[in-house]
Amino acid sequence: MRCASLGSGSRGNATVVEQGNTRLLVDCGFSAREARKRLERIEIDPGSLTAILVTHEHADHIAGVRVLARGLGLPVYLTSGTARAAEKLLRDVDGIREFNAHEAFEVGDIEIRPFPVPHDARDPAQFVFSNGDTRIGLLTDAGHVTRVMIEALASVDYLMLEFNHDRELLLQGDYPQGLIDRVDSDYGHLNNQQSMALLSKLEPGKLKGVAALHLSHQNNSVDRVSQCLADTLNNSGIEQIIACQDLGFSWFGEQ
Ligand SMILES: [Zn+2]
Ligand SMILES: [Zn+2]
């Protein structure tokens, strides 16, 4: 099982998780046309996707879901709160499938364990994917680290994790005060320190790779995040990659 990011940040997010012939697209914050282009860049035929999963209704995660789902005839999995929040946007999408954020479900060859996160959306969820052997976790868009999150991610092999901002940069930067407060709140985004703290709580010896996602263009940098990863994972041999807005990252995991 392996994963790739089609791009990550406040201007759009989309992730692919692949096991055999099952290919899940998690979120699509790009236009459907842009998403197709980016899928081809990682050599995925858009027509070979199995389903779309949606973490929450914010535009950087859902903007392209309607057109892509209709164009490719894909089912869309989301929590009932996200479905309500996105009701107008997804009104003419067939194959809306609601899941319970506390219950595992399967799509094709992938088992999906959702877990709830504190974020300023109606009913947001993030995921752990498993093929029975390897587990890949995904966590972005969370305002603080909860016990539920730590327990869900404790024994993953690979983790895609939000490193949204450097808190000092955010607080001193030139965002409008309302936006600073939103990002910094318990229902905003994980800062570098929070993500490092979460990493240090995972089962030692299990983790094989970490991909940093959803970096703020203004309030973070690849250099800062790579220093954080180096400080936390110090010479452990754990693979480290950092997703950027335009290119995301290409395949990560095991084939
Ligand atoms: Zn987001
Ligand atoms: Zn969000």
Side-chain angles (χ1 to χ4, degrees):
M1 188 166 59
R2 60 180 188 163
C3 56
S5 164
L6 302 184
S8 185
S10 58
R11 284 182 284 125
N13 296 273
T15 306
V16 180
V17 181
E18 178 189 76
Q19 166 60 43
N21 286 324
T22 304
R23 289 181 195 91
L24 308 178
L25 181 68
V26 185
D27 292 332
C28 185
F30 304 106
S31 70
R33 198 180 144 177
E34 182 64 27
R36 284 174 185 264
K37 246 201 290 186
R38 292 178 183 229
L39 282 163
E40 276 155 18
R41 195 167 69 199
I42 55 163
E43 294 179 1
I44 292 290
D45 171 7
S48 75
L49 290 175
T50 311
I52 302 175
L53 269 61
V54 176
T55 58
H56 65 298
E57 69 274 19
H58 289 161
D60 58 321
H61 297 263
I62 207 170
V65 169
R66 172 179 170 268
V67 175
L68 201 63
R70 282 175 57 88
L72 297 169
L74 293 172
V76 177
Y77 290 80
L78 67 191
T79 62
S80 54
T82 304
R84 295 299 163 277
E87 205 162 12
K88 272 195 191 144
L89 179 77
L90 301 179
R91 66 194 176 281
D92 53 1
V93 173
D94 295 330
I96 294 286
R97 315 261 164 93
E98 293 183 10
F99 64 80
N100 175 336
H102 300 273
E103 263 172 38
F105 59 100
E106 283 177 18
V107 177
D109 294 334
I110 301 179
E111 185 207 56
I112 299 144
R113 284 191 173 271
F115 57 94
V117 291
H119 188 55
D120 53 2
R122 294 276 183 85
D123 191 9
Q126 298 286 327
F127 304 106
V128 173
F129 305 94
S130 171
N131 63 2
D133 193 22
T134 303
R135 301 174 79 220
I136 297 177
L138 171 67
L139 169 61
T140 68
D141 298 74
H144 63 281
V145 176
T146 64
R147 230 175 87 183
V148 167
M149 282 154 53
I150 295 168
E151 284 171 10
L153 298 170
S155 61
V156 295
D157 299 279
Y158 296 90
L159 178 58
M160 295 178 275
L161 176 62
E162 171 168 62
F163 277 78
N164 185 264
H165 59 279
D166 176 293
R167 188 157 187 260
E168 304 243 301
L169 281 186
L170 174 73
L171 297 181
Q172 291 160 12
D174 52 8
Y175 270 12
Q177 193 58 45
L179 184 55
I180 294 176
D181 294 344
R182 200 216 126 210
V183 173
D184 187 44
S185 82
D186 280 346
Y187 297 90
H189 290 273
L190 291 177
N191 65 46
N192 294 348
Q193 298 298 326
Q194 289 171 310
S195 300
M196 287 164 73
L198 182 141
L199 275 181
S200 69
K201 294 196 171 92
L202 305 184
E203 213 173 279
K206 178 83 174 152
L207 201 61
K208 297 177 197 155
V210 178
L213 293 176
H214 218 307
L215 274 66
S216 164
H217 180 64
Q218 279 203 35
N219 299 315
N220 214 350
S221 65
V222 168
D223 285 350
R224 279 191 170 76
V225 173
S226 75
Q227 190 57 52
C228 291
L229 288 171
D231 290 349
T232 318
L233 306 174
N234 44 33
N235 301 326
S236 54
I238 294 172
E239 188 183 348
Q240 300 159 27
I241 42 178
I242 299 174
C244 66
Q245 180 68 76
D246 291 333
L247 295 173
F249 58 79
S250 68
W251 298 111
F252 173 66
E254 286 161 27
Q255 223 187 347

